[in-house]
Amino acid sequence: MSNTAQVVLPKIAQDRFNRLKGRSARVGVIGLGYVGLPLSLLLSEAGFTVTGFDIDEKKVTELEAGRSYIFRIAAEEIQSARKHGFTATSDFSHLSEQDAVIMCVPTPLTEHREPDLSYVENTAKSAAPWIREGQLVVLESTTYPGTTEELMIPVLEAGNTQGLKAQGKGAVAEKGVFYVAFSPEREDPGNTTVARRDIPKVVGGHEAIATELAATLYEGIFTRAVRVSSTRAAEMTKLLENIYRCVNIALVNELKVLALRMGMDIWEVIDAASTKPFGFHPFYPGPGLGGHCIPIDPFYLSWKAKEYDFNTRFIELAGEVNEAMPAHVVQYVARALNQHKKALNGAHILMLGMAYKKDIDDLRESPSLTVIELLREQGAEVLYNDPYFPTVGRGRRYNLNMTSTPLDKLEQYDCVLIMTDHSDYDYQDIVNRSRLVVDSRNATKGIESEKIIRC
């Protein structure tokens, strides 16, 4: 339900509100990756005139040509959006033409596991000169509570050539202000069970006008906008969602290690527990956490908590458990090879799956990258196969320059390691043709063979 009746909108905000409500507004989306591009397409489909901004010229060129660089987004979707006015550019001066600007940029960790907000800061610096009166600016990047107020707003204000200020919680200004909100992304790549537009959108403004403008924008593409009291509350909401998953995955990962020592199948136990119709939600173990959110977000809150002289012991312990899982996988590979009288040093290993989860083309924080590194450190020769990654080049923390290896000669490898349980794989055939299979995902469930070592 809209709160517009309780919010006093000055003329510059009312005009913006009317365009957002009528979907005639121009919306700029900065960062055309796994969050920004799907969001741009949703906005375009709903009737907004959308301009995508990215510093990666290759992405801009692909989109302007009607091509997609994300596997789950078909080129036809890009072409349809183009027909409805969607354009892509690296020229930030076009931000001045927008009614609303949404920032969807990465927020990774540094080598010391501290928040790296350079993308947010640099994007805000690039956008600041072009922010204009009455404009709505929304940050979607996952971060610690306080980022919007403590980092983004000061940067936008300092770099604005018109001397504009963010509307604060005090008196409502009739001119000289822009509006700022935070709305955490809730992308789940590969999830086809819930339509993207049916995922409620949490919105928290720097003050009430920004909250209402942002909620109105998102209500144009999502079935529901959930208004919260502040940008900090919205930032914390996202962290809670992901820490909840991180902690529960750590629990089942730890139980998996125990169950293996006890000679039990943890997946069978989870399936049995899942029959309880209340008080239990299933989480599943794996070779480590991947994706942008779950491996990273807990560290954002832990870092911020130290400012308040508070140690998030429970959260940090969960992070430690999950971070130990790639080493657990390597330990089992070594043990399995040893049972076949083969050393890890010099072993030929084919890894199945580079993506951080099944049926997607997303490498962000994938445990496969860590496992490759650990195996190589022990002297193993590692190749990979992944139908979603013909090649794997260079990223923020890796430089592999590898090419996907065909599955036509599985018998030549000392070990086939299943890291991602893609649906494309015929696991029975893989087991039949391999000497040894180490399964970190329970992908071979139901297949009985002495070749299989489940970890």
Side-chain angles (χ1 to χ4, degrees):
M1 181 181 294
S2 174
N3 296 327
T4 311
Q6 289 78 43
V7 179
V8 178
L9 299 178
K11 184 177 186 304
I12 55 172
Q14 186 66 57
D15 291 346
R16 201 74 38 141
F17 174 85
N18 293 339
R19 287 196 290 277
L20 292 170
K21 189 75 172 177
R23 302 185 188 181
S24 61
R26 300 181 64 89
V27 182
V29 179
I30 304 177
L32 300 174
Y34 292 98
V35 174
L37 183 55
L39 178 63
S40 298
L41 297 178
L42 269 183
L43 288 163
S44 180
E45 184 181 340
F48 293 97
T49 301
V50 183
T51 303
F53 296 82
D54 205 291
I55 59 175
D56 187 340
E57 292 286 357
K58 290 175 63 177
K59 288 182 179 178
V60 171
T61 300
E62 290 292 286
L63 294 173
E64 286 292 280
R67 296 189 293 266
S68 175
Y69 43 81
I70 296 178
F71 186 87
R72 63 192 171 95
I73 297 177
E76 289 76 15
E77 293 184 62
I78 307 297
Q79 293 158 15
S80 175
R82 295 275 295 148
K83 291 177 182 177
H84 289 88
F86 171 66
T87 60
T89 181
S90 58
D91 185 353
F92 277 54
S93 68
H94 292 290
L95 287 172
S96 63
E97 303 163 9
Q98 313 305 315
D99 293 296
V101 176
I102 305 174
M103 297 184 184
C104 307
V105 297
T107 46
L109 294 171
T110 68
E111 293 180 0
H112 302 291
R113 312 301 285 174
E114 294 181 346
D116 178 1
L117 293 176
S118 59
Y119 293 89
V120 173
E121 184 175 5
N122 291 336
T123 299
K125 286 180 179 178
S126 297
W130 312 108
I131 298 301
R132 61 188 175 93
E133 188 176 71
Q135 206 167 38
L136 170 68
V137 182
V138 183
L139 179 63
E140 285 210 2
S141 306
T142 304
T143 185
Y144 59 78
T147 301
T148 306
E149 293 181 349
E150 297 167 8
L151 173 65
M152 192 176 81
I153 288 176
V155 171
L156 291 175
E157 290 181 340
N160 185 261
T161 54
Q162 301 176 54
L164 302 175
K165 300 295 181 183
Q167 171 67 57
K169 293 180 174 64
V172 175
E174 292 291 339
K175 60 181 180 178
V177 296
F178 58 95
Y179 305 98
V180 178
F182 182 85
S183 180
E185 56 88 4
R186 280 175 162 172
E187 280 292 311
D188 186 14
N191 186 344
T192 57
T193 60
V194 181
R196 190 177 289 114
R197 61 173 33 84
D198 290 334
I199 302 172
K201 200 73 167 75
V202 174
V203 177
H206 187 48
E207 41 67 51
I209 296 174
T211 300
E212 196 57 36
L213 290 176
T216 301
L217 166 62
Y218 286 116
E219 284 169 345
I221 55 174
F222 294 100
T223 55
R224 182 185 175 204
V226 180
R227 296 160 175 81
V228 295
S229 61
S230 64
T231 57
R232 287 172 178 260
E235 289 161 338
M236 189 66 151
T237 299
K238 174 64 172 177
L239 294 184
L240 173 59
E241 293 170 7
N242 290 332
I243 290 168
Y244 166 76
R245 293 178 67 191
C246 174
V247 167
N248 281 281
I249 292 171
L251 172 64
V252 292
N253 274 333
E254 189 166 71
L255 287 175
K256 176 185 73 171
V257 176
L258 175 60
L260 284 167
R261 294 189 182 187
M262 298 175 71
M264 299 167 61
D265 182 348
I266 190 63
W267 284 275
E268 178 189 8
V269 174
I270 294 170
D271 288 345
S274 298
T275 62
K276 184 179 180 181
F278 57 90
F280 182 84
H281 181 83
F283 289 83
Y284 297 93
L289 294 182
H292 170 70
C293 295
I294 305 178
I296 292 176
D297 294 356
F299 292 98
Y300 267 69
L301 188 59
S302 296
W303 179 85
K304 186 64 174 179
K306 290 178 174 58
E307 182 180 316
Y308 296 86
D309 194 27
F310 188 88
N311 292 319
T312 52
R313 292 177 294 170
F314 196 75
I315 297 170
E316 290 175 17
L317 177 59
E320 290 172 11
V321 170
N322 290 325
E323 285 191 324
M325 295 317 295
H328 166 81
V329 172
V330 172
Q331 181 184 38
Y332 261 75
V333 170
R335 183 181 301 176
L337 287 167
N338 187 56
Q339 291 174 359
H340 284 67
K341 299 182 180 180
K342 179 71 180 179
L344 183 55
N345 189 354
H348 295 268
I349 298 171
L350 179 64
M351 177 183 291
L352 301 187
M354 290 293 287
Y356 78 84
K357 70 174 183 175
K358 68 188 295 184
D359 302 340
I360 64 170
D361 62 335
D362 195 338
L363 268 183
R364 291 175 297 174
E365 308 297 325
S366 174
S368 294
L369 301 169
T370 303
V371 169
I372 286 179
E373 184 178 72
L374 293 174
L375 288 171
R376 285 179 169 177
E377 286 176 359
Q378 304 246 2
E381 180 183 326
V382 187
L383 300 175
Y384 85 92
N385 173 277
D386 192 311
Y388 296 87
F389 290 98
T391 60
V392 175
R394 183 184 183 91
R396 282 196 294 268
R397 294 187 184 177
Y398 62 89
N399 185 17
L400 297 180
N401 295 315
M402 298 173 69
T403 300
S404 182
T405 300
L407 299 181
D408 54 352
K409 296 180 180 179
L410 292 178
E411 66 282 352
Q412 71 181 3
Y413 299 100
D414 297 306
C415 175
V416 173
L417 170 59
I418 301 173
M419 285 293 294
T420 315
D421 51 336
H422 289 312
S423 301
D424 292 2
Y425 290 136
D426 182 340
Y427 293 103
Q428 182 67 69
D429 180 63
I430 288 168
V431 171
N432 290 344
R433 295 192 292 119
S434 300
R435 300 185 204 173
L436 171 66
V437 176
V438 176
D439 182 2
S440 71
R441 292 283 190 178
N442 202 33
T444 58
K445 179 181 180 180
I447 301 174
E448 296 298 328
S449 173
E450 294 182 355
K451 299 178 182 180
I452 301 172
I453 301 293
R454 295 183 174 92
C455 70

